[in-house]
Amino acid sequence: MTHTLEFSAEELLATDDIEEPLLAGGVRCHGGFLHDGTYVSPRTKFRRPALTAWQDQHRKDFGTEILHAPVETWPGNYPSVEQARLLLRHGVREPIIANLTRIGTVEGFGAMIRFLAPPDMQRFFDDDIRGTALDHLSKGLVEAHARDEAGHGDEAGHDRMWYAVRDIAFENPVTQDETELMMQRMGIAFGASPDPDGARQRFLGKRAFEDLDVGLELLISTMLRVLFVEIKAFHVFAWAEELLSDPDLVAGDGEATRLVSFIRADETPHVEYLRTALTEMRDRTFVGESGKHYPGADIIGPMWDASLAESLGLLEDQNRAATVAELELAVSSRPHGADLLAEFHSLAEPPAD
Ligand SMILES: [Fe+2]
Ligand SMILES: [Fe+2]
C-alpha cells in the first residue's frame, strides 16, 4: 500500500481534536490535550505522518539517508545547570531571566521563514519534486513552523510560551521596558517586525552561488541556520527542564518544566521538515539562472559545512559572550561579586576540541 504524499496547506496546518486547551500562566497556548490527557503539538494531525511518508519515499527513490546532525555535535547549554544553580543560590537571577527572554525572542524570529519560501520550487530543479517536503515548503510547512514559533490568532506560540516559563519560574520578574533594555544589551532587536527585504539585502554580500536564484540561496541558508538552532535547542530544553524543576530555586511547582516539555515536543516536526527538504535538494539537480545544471550535493554540502561551522563557532561564542556580559552586569554591584564570578567560571566544562 502506498500512502499519499500530497497534502493541502489546510491539512498541514490542521490540529488534532483537542479536548482541553493548554493554558500557561493564564495565557492560551497552541496545542492541547486529548481525552486521555496526552499533549498534542499544534498542526501535527497530517504534518507528522506526512513527514514520515516523505522520508520513506526519499529513502526508496534515492537510497540515501536523511541528513542529520546529532545534538551531541554541540556543547551543552551555557551556562550549565551547575553554573545556573550557583547563581540562583546566590540570588543572582538576572542572567537566567535574560537567557529565558532571549530564547523566547529568538523563537519568535523563527516566523521570518514564512516569507522566504518561493511559491514554485519546481523551477529551481531539473528533477520532479512532486510528493516531497521540498514541494510543500510554501504549501503549509513554513507557515506551520512560523505559527508554532510566533503564535497564531489568540493562541500563544513559543515566544510567549518561553516568557510564560520565565514568569512562572521567577514570578513575573521583568517589565516590558526592562525586557527591551535587556535584549538591546544582548544585541537582539526586541519587538522588531520581520524584515524579509532587509534580510535579502544583507544576504547579497554573503552569497556563495551567484548563478542560483538569490531567494532560493537565502532560503537554504536560513533553513540550515534554523535547523542547527532547532537541534541545539534540545540542549536548552534539557537544561531548562532540569533547572526549573528544582522547587528550592524556582517557583511554580514544576509548571515551568512541564511547559518546556511541551515546547520540546513541538520542535520535532521543525527539525524533521528542514532536514528532509534539505536532503531532497541535496539528491536532486539544481538549475541555475543561466540554465546550467548543478548536482545538489555540490550546493547543499558546502552550505551545510559552512553553516555548521558558524553555528559551532561564531554563534556559540556570541551566545557565551552575551551571557557573561549579563552576569558581569548583575554581579558588578554585589559585595562578593568577583568571587562569585570566579566560581562561576571555574564550573565551566572544558571547551570541546
Ligand atoms: Fe520553537
Ligand atoms: Fe522550532
Side-chain angles (χ1 to χ4, degrees):
M1 194 190 106
T2 53
H3 32 217
T4 175
L5 299 167
E6 292 297 334
F7 297 85
S8 67
E10 204 181 7
E11 285 173 327
L12 293 173
L13 293 168
T15 301
D16 287 274
D17 293 329
I18 276 164
E19 185 88 3
E20 196 197 319
L22 170 61
L23 296 170
V27 178
R28 165 81 196 260
C29 303
H30 64 208
F33 304 93
L34 301 178
H35 61 276
D36 64 356
T38 341
Y39 173 74
V40 278
S41 295
R43 300 170 271 274
T44 52
K45 187 173 181 178
F46 296 95
R47 192 166 39 142
R48 226 180 262 281
L51 284 165
T52 308
W54 291 323
Q55 290 178 348
D56 289 346
Q57 191 63 38
H58 185 84
R59 291 187 189 101
K60 221 171 100 196
D61 290 347
F62 292 86
T64 59
E65 248 323 305
I66 309 299
L67 278 162
H68 184 44
V71 65
E72 295 76 26
T73 310
W74 287 265
N77 192 63
Y78 188 85
S80 67
V81 172
E82 269 323 297
Q83 287 176 311
R85 279 193 183 131
L86 171 76
L87 298 182
L88 294 180
R89 277 201 306 270
H90 285 83
V92 179
R93 311 182 326 154
E94 297 86 344
I96 309 301
I97 290 164
N99 234 303
L100 295 172
T101 309
R102 189 175 57 94
I103 296 167
T105 307
V106 172
E107 287 250 26
F109 290 162
M112 241 292 270
I113 202 158
R114 64 154 61 98
F115 300 107
L116 300 183
D120 172 22
M121 295 294 292
Q122 181 61 70
R123 65 193 175 102
F124 304 126
F125 296 92
D126 191 38
D127 335 47
D128 194 346
I129 65 163
R130 278 174 299 176
T132 61
L134 174 59
D135 188 39
H136 287 80
L137 287 175
S138 62
K139 300 172 183 168
L141 284 179
V142 294
E143 183 58 30
H145 185 176
R147 291 181 186 186
D148 290 353
E149 306 294 18
H152 184 65
D154 299 339
E155 291 177 1
H158 290 168
D159 49 358
R160 289 167 66 204
M161 286 166 76
W162 276 105
Y163 301 151
V165 167
R166 173 199 65 196
D167 293 343
I168 292 165
F170 297 101
E171 300 173 295
N172 303 303
V174 280
T175 62
Q176 180 79 4
D177 288 355
E178 287 165 343
T179 306
E180 223 166 303
L181 276 174
M182 196 159 66
M183 290 304 98
Q184 259 172 31
R185 288 197 302 268
M186 297 182 111
I188 286 169
F190 184 80
S193 38
D195 176 19
D197 290 335
R200 202 160 280 132
Q201 213 51 43
R202 286 190 299 276
F203 184 68
L204 290 176
K206 300 187 198 163
R207 300 194 60 190
F209 298 99
E210 294 287 332
D211 192 29
L212 284 192
D213 175 87
V214 61
L216 175 66
E217 192 181 346
L218 174 59
L219 171 73
I220 297 170
S221 158
T222 306
M223 286 171 69
L224 284 163
R225 202 182 56 247
V226 172
L227 172 65
F228 296 142
V229 170
E230 297 270 355
I231 299 173
K232 210 174 119 173
F234 285 85
H235 277 318
V236 181
F237 298 127
W239 171 83
E241 287 177 63
E242 195 178 339
L243 183 70
L244 303 177
S245 64
D246 187 339
D248 294 334
L249 295 176
V250 301
D253 293 324
E255 182 62 22
T257 288
R258 213 169 71 98
L259 200 47
V260 173
S261 76
F262 300 146
I263 302 176
R264 170 164 52 81
D266 302 344
E267 299 297 358
T268 303
H270 302 167
V271 171
E272 295 307 318
Y273 96 88
L274 289 167
R275 70 191 194 98
T276 306
L278 287 163
T279 306
E280 291 163 349
M281 289 194 242
R282 179 199 62 188
D283 293 342
R284 283 179 168 75
T285 301
F286 281 68
V287 181
E289 298 269 80
S290 67
K292 204 175 156 205
H293 287 192
Y294 303 89
D298 292 355
I299 290 170
I300 300 299
M303 286 184 79
W304 173 282
D305 294 343
S307 189
L308 186 57
E310 185 187 60
S311 176
L312 287 164
L314 179 72
L315 300 181
E316 192 68 28
D317 293 345
Q318 280 176 351
N319 176 26
R320 281 171 186 247
T323 302
V324 170
E326 279 303 297
L327 172 60
E328 287 175 350
L329 182 71
V331 301
S332 59
S333 55
R334 285 177 174 256
H336 300 285
D339 295 342
L340 182 59
L341 207 55
E343 197 180 344
F344 175 89
H345 287 307
S346 77
L347 289 175
E349 287 153 23
D353 293 324

